[in-house]
Amino acid sequence: MSSTPIALITGITGQDGSYLAELLLQKGYEVHGVVRRTSNLSRLRIDTLRLNPDLHGKRFFLHYSDLVDSTSLRKIFRKVRPTEFYHLAGQSHVGLSFEIPESTCHEIASATLGILEICRDLDYPVKMYHAASSEIFGAAEDFPQTEQTAFRPTSPYGCAKAFAAQLCDVYRASYGLFICNGILYNHESPRRGENFVTRKIVRQAAKIKVGLDHELILGNLDSQRDWGHASDYVQAMWMMLQHPSPDNYIVATGKLHSVKDWVQMSFAYLGLDWTQHVKSSEALMRPQEPTRLLGDPTHIQKIIGWKPLHTFESMVTDMVDNDLKLLTEKQES
C-alpha cells in the first residue's frame, strides 16, 4: 500500500467537503470524492480543485455514485482503497426534512448502514469519520450538551442522524471498526447553500445594501444555535482520525447566538437599520423547534487539542463580504 495517505469523501461538493478536500490536499493526501452524475457539471465549491491540472487526475479524483447505490460504492472502495473515509453526504437541511422525510431517512440512515457494511467487509482497516449532528439532541435535557447527553431529536433529519450515529457506535463496538462520530453543531461559511437561514440573511442584507431588494422575511428570530465556521470544523474531522483510538466528539464553540444576532450584525456591518427591512412570518416557522442547542467542546479540546480559530463576528463578516463581492461583480459584468 502506498505511503501517501488516501482519503475518500462523500459529499465533497458540499460546504464541508470542499473545505476538507482543500485541507487534505494541503497535507499531502491523495483525495477522492464521490459525486452524483447529473446533467449539470458545475461544482462551484470544488472547481478550483477540479480545474487545476496539477491536481485533477494526479492527486484529486472524482467518482460517480449515489449514496443508495451500494454496489457502485463498494467498487469505489475496492479501487481507491482509502486509508481514511469521511462520510459527509446526505440531505442536510433540517426544515426540508419535514417536507421530504422518506428521502432524508434513506440518504442519511439507510445509506450509512450500507456504508458500514462495506467498511466491515474490507480486507484492510480503514478509519471512518461519520458526520453526526447536534440535531440528534433536539429537545435536550442537558444544557450544554455533552457526548453523554441522551438523543431526543425533534425533526426527521435529527432522527435519521441519531439512527446513523448509533449504528456507528454499534459497528465500532461489535466489529472493532475505527469510526468517529463528529457531533457537529451549526457551522457556516461563504460556501453555505442559499437555502440556509444564515446565508439567506447575509445575502439579502447585501442585496438591500446595493439596492437590489428592500426586505428580508424570516421565521423565528429568537431561535438560538451554537454557530461556528466550517473551515474550523473540518480541521476537527481530520484530527479525530489522527488520534490512536476512535471516539465520539462534540464539535462546537460553546457560545449561543440567535437568528436576530445574525440579522443585527449583518445589517450593522453594512450600515443598515435591520428594523426597517426585516419581517417575521408564521409561514416560515418550523413545526417543532429544538430547545437551545449548545455544545460543550471540553472533550475534544482535552483529547485531541482542537479549538476554533474564528469568532462569531469574523464568521458573519466573512460571509457578508463574500456575498457583497459576488453581487458587485455581477452588477459590473
Side-chain angles (χ1 to χ4, degrees):
M1 186 177 290
S2 171
S3 59
T4 300
I6 302 172
L8 177 62
I9 305 171
T10 62
I12 195 168
T13 60
Q15 170 187 250
D16 294 4
S18 62
Y19 278 116
L20 179 61
E22 290 172 3
L23 174 68
L24 296 177
L25 287 167
Q26 290 169 5
K27 293 183 177 295
Y29 280 65
E30 179 180 305
V31 176
H32 297 254
V34 177
V35 296
R36 290 176 175 175
R37 185 179 290 277
T38 66
S39 58
N40 181 10
L41 294 180
S42 174
R43 300 187 172 100
L44 295 176
R45 295 187 183 97
I46 58 170
D47 272 353
T48 56
L49 306 178
R50 189 173 62 87
L51 301 177
N52 186 337
D54 294 326
L55 291 175
H56 193 240
K58 297 177 181 178
R59 287 203 300 125
F60 181 71
F61 305 84
L62 298 177
H63 305 268
Y64 290 115
S65 186
D66 193 281
L67 288 179
V68 295
D69 185 355
S70 59
T71 299
S72 63
L73 284 172
R74 191 176 293 271
K75 289 179 180 177
I76 292 171
F77 269 87
R78 288 175 178 170
K79 178 181 179 180
V80 173
R81 295 184 67 82
T83 51
E84 296 176 9
F85 170 57
Y86 297 85
H87 181 35
L88 312 182
Q91 200 290 103
S92 59
H93 194 284
V94 178
L96 186 60
S97 74
F98 285 98
E99 299 180 31
I100 51 169
E102 288 185 53
S103 61
T104 296
C105 289
H106 282 308
E107 286 188 18
I108 295 174
S110 299
T112 300
L113 173 58
I115 285 171
L116 288 169
E117 278 295 294
I118 292 173
C119 290
R120 184 166 77 93
D121 290 342
L122 292 175
D123 60 0
Y124 72 96
V126 61
K127 293 183 176 182
M128 174 177 169
Y129 169 84
H130 170 250
S133 166
S134 61
E135 293 290 330
I136 63 177
F137 298 130
E141 295 180 339
D142 301 335
F143 184 82
Q145 295 86 48
T146 70
E147 288 79 4
Q148 283 70 50
T149 296
F151 295 179
R152 297 184 65 192
T154 56
S155 68
Y157 172 82
C159 289
K161 280 293 185 182
F163 175 84
Q166 289 179 317
L167 270 180
C168 289
D169 286 343
V170 169
Y171 273 66
R172 182 173 62 209
S174 300
Y175 304 114
L177 299 183
F178 192 112
I179 305 173
C180 292
N181 275 311
I183 306 171
L184 272 60
Y185 280 63
N186 293 61
H187 47 290
E188 316 298 324
S189 77
R191 301 180 189 179
R192 175 54 99 183
E194 294 178 12
N195 58 332
F196 287 81
V197 66
T198 51
R199 182 72 189 284
K200 180 180 178 181
I201 291 169
V202 299
R203 182 171 175 78
Q204 199 67 5
K207 280 186 173 182
I208 293 170
K209 177 64 176 179
V210 299
L212 292 177
D213 216 324
H214 65 279
E215 71 175 8
L216 167 62
I217 301 176
L218 297 170
N220 184 8
L221 293 175
D222 295 323
S223 179
Q224 295 179 312
R225 293 290 187 277
D226 181 332
W227 273 293
H229 199 290
S231 63
D232 289 336
Y233 285 27
V234 299
Q235 179 76 26
M237 297 176 191
W238 175 77
M239 292 175 71
M240 290 178 204
L241 297 196
Q242 311 317 303
H243 193 68
S245 56
D247 204 349
N248 297 336
Y249 299 94
I250 280 180
V251 184
T253 68
K255 297 179 181 179
L256 207 59
H257 291 92
S258 67
V259 172
K260 186 182 290 184
D261 291 336
W262 270 92
V263 171
Q264 291 175 330
M265 186 166 295
S266 300
F267 278 74
Y269 183 64
L270 294 172
L272 299 170
D273 180 357
W274 73 273
T275 62
Q276 302 299 312
H277 304 281
V278 180
K279 298 178 181 179
S280 181
S281 171
E282 288 287 337
L284 296 178
M285 302 289 186
R286 288 181 184 172
Q288 188 176 7
E289 186 73 30
T291 54
R292 292 183 300 169
L293 291 178
L294 178 67
D296 181 354
T298 301
H299 182 60
I300 192 171
Q301 291 176 355
K302 179 180 178 181
I303 300 301
I304 64 177
W306 175 85
K307 289 185 178 180
L309 299 178
H310 292 78
T311 64
F312 178 76
E313 293 77 9
S314 68
M315 175 177 59
V316 173
T317 55
D318 185 23
M319 292 176 66
V320 173
D321 284 338
N322 178 73
D323 269 314
L324 190 61
K325 179 184 176 183
L326 292 175
L327 290 172
T328 303
E329 290 176 347
K330 187 175 181 179
Q331 284 184 316
E332 292 176 348
S333 63

